[in-house]
Amino acid sequence: MEQIVGGDKPAADGAGPVSILKSVCRSCHGGCGTLMHVQGDKLLKVEGDPDSPLNKGRLCPIGASTMDLVYHPDRLKYPMRRKGPRGSGQWERISWDEALDEMAEKLQAIKDEFGPESIAMGTGTGRHHIRWVSRFGHALGTPNWSEPGFAQCFHPRINTCLLTYGDFPVCDFTTETMPELILYWGHNPVNSGPDGETRFSVRDSLAANPKIIVVDPRETYLAKKADIWLQLRPGTDDALALAMLNVLIEEKLYDAEFVEKWTHGFAELAERVRPHTPEWAEGVTWVPADKIRAAARLYAEIRPSAMEWGVAIEQTPNCIQTVRAVSLLPALTGNIDVPGGWVFGMNGIGRFPSLIENLSPEMNAKRLGADRFKLLCGEGADLPAAHIPTVLQAMRTGKPYPVKAFMVFGNNTLTTYGNSKLVYESLMKLDFMVCADLFMTPTAELADLVLPAASWPELNQIAGLPTRAANIVLAQQKTVQIGECKSDEEIFVALARRMKLETCTEPVEDVLDAQVRAGTGMSYDDLKVRGFYKIPFRYRKYEEKGFKTPTGKIELYSTRFEEMGYDPLPYYEEPPESPIATPEIAEEFPLVLTTGGRIPFFFNSEHRQLKPLRKAHPDPIAEIHPDTAARLGIKTGDWMWIETKRGKIRQKAKLWKGIDPRVIHCEHGWWFPDKPGPDYGVWESNVNVLTSNLPPFDPQMGTYHLRALLCRVERSDPPA
Ligand SMILES: Nc1nc2c(c(=O)[nH]1)N[C@H]1C(S)=C(S)[C@@H](COP(=O)(O)OP(=O)(O)OC[C@H]3O[C@@H](n4cnc5c(=O)[nH]c(N)nc54)[C@H](O)[C@@H]3O)O[C@H]1N2
Ligand SMILES: Nc1nc2c(c(=O)[nH]1)N[C@H]1C(S)=C(S)[C@@H](COP(=O)(O)OP(=O)(O)OC[C@H]3O[C@@H](n4cnc5c(=O)[nH]c(N)nc54)[C@H](O)[C@@H]3O)O[C@H]1N2
Ligand code: SF4
Ligand SMILES: [Mo]
C-alpha cells in the first residue's frame, strides 16, 4: 500500500486519507485494470482504471461486484478442521500453525508410505496461483497436479499451436490495426472474455465494424450480428473445419505465396481434406453446403482477419484433431503475425520457475496419464498435468497406484469435473483432503481441512495479457486483509518451509520481481506504481528466424505429432454419444445436449452468493426450441428434467428460437449456497451429473465428454 495515485484525498468521515492504488481484477481469467480506493485497513471502492488499455475504465458485472465478494459475510476467514465423518458438515476453528503442522505431518506420512506421487494437487482455471500449484507439487516431488480445464479448455489450443506454429497466436486487439473480419468459432467472448484478452478488447474491435462469421449452435448476440452464422450440430466442428479447408484448397482461395514459403505438408493436407466436401459435411454438421462454401469464400476474401476460438471445440473426445483442423484456416489464408491478424506475442513476463526439473524422468513417467496422453501429460505438453479421470480412478481403486491425498486450491470439484457422482465416490475414498477456497462449497465440505484463501484484492501478483503473448504486463497488489485469509502462494511457501522442502520457500514477491524484471527490465515495485507496462509490438517475427517448429514452417502436416505416434493430419470423428454414433441410445435420449455456454454474471461455479449477480440471474436456465417444448408440454418458466444415461437434473426452461429444435443447452456450475449444507443442492441442477469422464478419451489429450451428449427432457414440478 505504498503509493498513492492522484495524491491524498481528504476522507469524508475524517478517518484518515484515502489512497487510490492501481491493481488488476482477477475475478475471471482477469486483466481489467482497477483503481482501489483504500482508507487505513478498509477497501472503500473498486473502479475500472481509465488508463488501462484493456478495459479503459470499464468493469463487467462480476468485477463491479468486487466489494460484495471481498466483504461477503460467508467468506472463510480462518482455517478449520472437520470434526465428524467426511461430509458430515461439522467444523472447528484452528490456528494457521495447527493447520500447517497437520498438513506437513499428514503429507509427509503419506509420502513416506506411498511415495510423493500418491499426493495429487488440484486447482481451477486461469487463477493467479495456477502455476504455483504445480510448482508446490514439483517441490514436494509429485507429478500429479491437475486443473479441470487442462484437457478440456485452452491448453488443447495452446499445445496444438505450439506444435503446429511453434507459438500461440492471439487476436491483434491491443494495437492500432483492427481485423476486417473476425471468425468466432465455438466462442462467445462478449460474455466470456476470450481466453487471454478482456471482453472489452473484443467489444472495441467490433466498433471497427468487421465482417463476422460465427460457428455456434446457438444464435448468440454475435450470431445475430454476423454476416454468416453457421448453426452446426454440437460436436461436429472437425467436420465443418475440414470442409472449409476443402473449399479453400479446391477453389484455390488460399494465399499461395504464403503457403508455399511458410507451410509444411500442403499436398498431404489437400489429399486428406479432398473427400470432405461441403456436401459431405452437410450430412454430418446440419449446416447447408452452400453456407459452408459462402463462409469459406468470405473468410478467404477479406484481410486482415482474426480468429476468436473458444472452449466449445475442446470438450469432446476428438478435441485435438478438431483444434488442429480449425487452427489451419488462418495459416492457409496467411493471416499470421500481421497487423489485425492472428499474432504472436512479445513475452513480457519472464519464465515462471515451475521447478519441474525437480522431477526425475522416472517420476515424470509416473504422471497419471503419461503413458497415453502426451499432449496433456508428457513431451507434447507445455506444462504437463495429470489426467483427471485417471487420478480419480487411482483414488477409487488404487490403480495403477494409490492416490491418497488431494490438495485442492480453488476448484469446486463436484461441480466442474465431468461425471459428478463418480467424482464424489472418488473423493470419499481419500485418506486426506485439503481445500483452500474463498467460501465453503459442497466440495470443501468433503475435506479434512479447509483453508481461507485471499481474494484478488488481498494479494500481490502479476498478469500478462493477452495470455502467453503478454505484450501488456500488469501488477496486482494487496490492498486489504480479510480475517486470517492468505493467498494460495503464501500458503505454499509456508507449507514448503514447514515441511522443510528444499525449494518453493523464497518469498512470493521475489519470484514476481524476477519475472517482471526478465520481461520488462523494471522491478515489481515500479510496475505496481505504473499499474501496467505495454511492450512495443513487432509483426512478422517469423521472417527473422522462421517458425519455432522442426521444419521452421507452420506444420500443416505435423512432424511432432508423427513422432509421438499420433496422426499428423486432422481427421473427423463422431462424438462417441450422438445420433450417428449411437442411434440405439438416441432412441431413448433423442436430443443433443450442449453445456456451459458462459453467462456474464457468474464465473464457472462461483458468485451464486453475491446478491446483485444472483438477482440478475436467479435460476439455472436450460434453452429449448419452442416447437420441441410444445411437443413436450413445456412452457417458458417451467422447470424441466434433463436426463442422460448418467443421471438427471432440473433447470428452468427458456423457450428460444435461437436453438435448433434437436438441441438442448444447459448452464454449468450450479449449486445453491443459499440451500442447506453440506451438499448445498449440488445434485439438483449441476450439469455434470449428466456428463461423462469415462473412455473414450481424446488419444492425444485425454479429453472427456462435456458437450455434444444425448439427453431427453420432460416437464417437472419446481424444486422444493
Ligand atoms: N462470465 C464468465 N466468463 C467466463 C467464464 C464464466 O463462467 N463466466 N468461464 C471462463 C472459462 S473457464 C472459459 S473456458 C471461457 C469459455 O468461454 P467461450 O470460449 O466463449 O465458451 P462458451 O461460452 O462456453 O461457449 C461458446 C459458445 O460455444 C457454443 N457451443 C456449444 N457447443 C458447441 C459446439 O459443439 N460447437 C461450437 N462451435 N459451438 C458450441 C455455445 O453456444 C456458446 O455460445 O470463458 C471464461 N470466461
Ligand atoms: N459441463 C461442463 N463442465 C465444465 C465446463 C463446461 O463448459 N461444461 N467448463 C469447464 C472449464 S472450461 C473449466 S476451465 C472448468 C472450471 O473449473 P474451475 O476453474 O475449477 O472452477 P470452479 O469449480 O468454479 O472452482 C473455482 C473455485 O475456486 C474458488 N476461488 C476463487 N478464487 C480463488 C483463489 O484465489 N484461491 C482459492 N484457493 N480459491 C479461489 C471459488 O470460490 C470456487 O469454489 O470447468 C469445466 N467444467
Ligand atoms: S471481465 Fe474479468 S477482469 Fe474484467 S472486470 Fe469482469 S471479472 Fe474482472
Ligand atoms: Mo475454461
Side-chain angles (χ1 to χ4, degrees), residues 234-370:
T236 62
D237 299 85
D238 47 2
L240 184 64
L242 292 169
M244 284 182 67
L245 291 167
N246 171 293
V247 177
L248 294 182
I249 295 175
E250 296 294 321
E251 298 190 9
K252 298 198 172 16
L253 302 174
Y254 56 91
D255 181 337
E257 202 185 318
F258 183 85
V259 165
E260 165 67 24
K261 195 161 175 205
W262 291 113
T263 69
H264 170 76
F266 178 74
E268 289 89 342
L269 178 69
E271 183 67 31
R272 172 62 60 94
V273 302
R274 190 157 302 134
H276 298 303
T277 60
E279 287 68 25
W280 166 83
E282 176 171 335
V284 177
T285 63
W286 301 344
V287 183
D290 55 356
K291 267 202 163 175
I292 302 177
R293 276 215 168 75
R297 287 172 187 159
L298 182 68
Y299 179 67
E301 184 193 330
I302 311 256
R303 314 228 180 134
S305 76
M307 183 164 71
E308 273 290 1
W309 53 351
V311 81
I313 57 174
E314 299 175 312
Q315 300 196 332
T316 68
N318 198 29
C319 160
I320 289 295
Q321 296 296 351
T322 303
V323 171
R324 275 272 294 157
V326 177
S327 79
L328 300 184
L329 291 164
L332 287 196
T333 52
N335 281 293
I336 302 297
D337 220 14
V338 293
W342 231 24
V343 296
F344 300 125
M346 302 302 295
N347 302 315
I349 293 189
R351 217 188 113 261
F352 178 73
S354 75
L355 303 178
I356 195 161
E357 65 280 2
N358 274 13
L359 302 179
S360 65
E362 295 73 39
M363 195 47 90
N364 268 308
K366 276 193 178 172
R367 183 172 296 110
L368 290 164

Side-chain angles (χ1 to χ4, degrees), residues 170-179 306 338-343 537 539:
V170 293
C171 296
D172 188 18
F173 288 159
T174 51
T175 63
E176 283 72 42
T177 316
M178 287 294 139
V338 293
W342 231 24
V343 296
F537 212 85
Y539 293 99

Side-chain angles (χ1 to χ4, degrees), residues 25-32 55 58-64 198-200:
C25 177
R26 300 298 293 265
S27 271
C28 71
H29 293 136
C32 292
N55 56 314
R58 293 161 288 183
L59 294 176
C60 81
I62 300 175
T198 72
R199 69 192 70 185
F200 299 112

